[in-house]
Amino acid sequence: MLSKMKLTASGCDGIPAWLLRECSYELADIVAHIVNCSVISGTVPSYWLNALVTPVPKVPKPTGFSDYRPISVTPLISRLTEKIIVRRWILPSVPPDMLRDQYAFKPTGSTTAALTYFMHQVTSLLEKNNYVRCLLIDFSKASDKVDHIILVQKLKALDLPLGWLAISGLALAMFSMSTKFGVSISTRYKNMKGEIKYQNFGVFWGS
């Protein structure tokens, strides 16, 4: 997996993708040991629990916060671990019926697939009906409002290893963010008391 890693942005640990890719043979055993220790012990390295958030302009000349799209980037080894866990444990544990009409966050899913399925349903109905009524719901910032407690309860319902459940609960409870603007990186977000502010809602994506 290291040798096929995409050349993408690195996280707060500063480990670049080219290093993991070009030195995959030399680093494979080390990375495998770190990942295995994390899963078996149910602990997460602190660097994996911090996302670098880069504000990317949505318009040519942004004038306010709403003109930026926050892109969160987690460390590469953290993303690699997530991919392994999803492929080996989560996807096999999720009943197929729950993913039948899901097109996001799936290896074979895309907006193109969703639109194709939608148009197929509409054209099929129009063969026997004069018109079709469609109800379209826009869940604004849905990924920012995911309740971590509810998410962990749903994960417990799946047949997942206890170590991974411990990792997921710890990661959700202790996840924090820093902002990257140009070459400058802020410290982790803190509250009025100077304590690190952890995220109680939302899931991080875009890395």
Side-chain angles (χ1 to χ4, degrees):
M1 296 181 73
L2 291 179
S3 61
K4 298 179 180 179
M5 180 172 288
K6 296 181 180 180
L7 297 178
T8 183
S10 59
C12 58
D13 59 359
I15 300 177
W18 65 263
L19 177 64
L20 296 174
R21 185 171 179 174
E22 297 298 327
C23 303
S24 59
Y25 181 79
E26 293 81 2
L27 296 175
D29 289 342
I30 299 173
V31 173
H33 178 70
I34 294 174
V35 173
N36 287 332
C37 286
S38 177
V39 174
I40 294 173
S41 64
T43 59
V44 185
S46 59
Y47 272 108
W48 293 8
L49 298 174
N50 188 42
L52 283 181
V53 181
T54 302
V56 177
K58 296 188 288 186
V59 295
K61 296 181 179 181
T63 58
F65 292 123
S66 60
D67 293 333
Y68 290 90
R69 177 180 292 107
I71 303 298
S72 61
V73 178
T74 52
L76 293 167
I77 300 179
S78 172
R79 280 178 259 170
L80 179 66
T81 306
E82 291 173 9
K83 185 178 295 184
I84 294 173
I85 290 174
V86 168
R87 289 181 178 178
R88 292 189 179 182
W89 289 299
I90 294 184
L91 285 180
S93 301
V94 177
D97 292 342
M98 294 180 62
L99 299 176
R100 184 169 298 172
D101 58 351
Q102 165 119 5
Y103 296 96
F105 306 104
K106 285 178 57 179
T108 58
S110 65
T111 53
T112 301
L115 290 172
T116 301
Y117 175 79
F118 175 76
M119 291 303 299
H120 171 70
Q121 296 296 322
V122 171
T123 53
S124 298
L125 290 171
L126 286 174
E127 292 178 358
K128 300 179 181 179
N129 302 275
N130 294 328
Y131 62 91
V132 176
R133 291 178 178 175
C134 300
L135 176 61
L136 305 179
I137 302 175
D138 180 16
F139 293 96
S140 178
K141 298 184 179 297
S143 60
D144 296 337
K145 301 176 182 177
V146 176
D147 189 302
H148 291 176
I149 296 177
I150 296 176
L151 179 57
V152 171
Q153 292 299 323
K154 289 185 177 295
L155 290 173
K156 286 183 178 180
L158 302 177
D159 185 19
L160 299 174
L162 292 177
W164 189 87
L165 284 174
I167 288 177
S168 62
L170 177 62
L172 290 171
M174 303 294 290
F175 217 108
S176 60
M177 297 184 295
S178 299
T179 301
K180 181 179 181 181
F181 194 80
V183 295
S184 301
I185 300 177
S186 72
T187 58
R188 295 188 181 188
Y189 295 169
K190 297 182 179 181
N191 58 22
M192 297 298 291
K193 297 180 180 179
E195 302 168 335
I196 294 176
K197 183 178 180 181
Y198 300 111
Q199 306 304 308
N200 298 322
F201 292 85
V203 290
F204 297 89
W205 61 284
S207 57

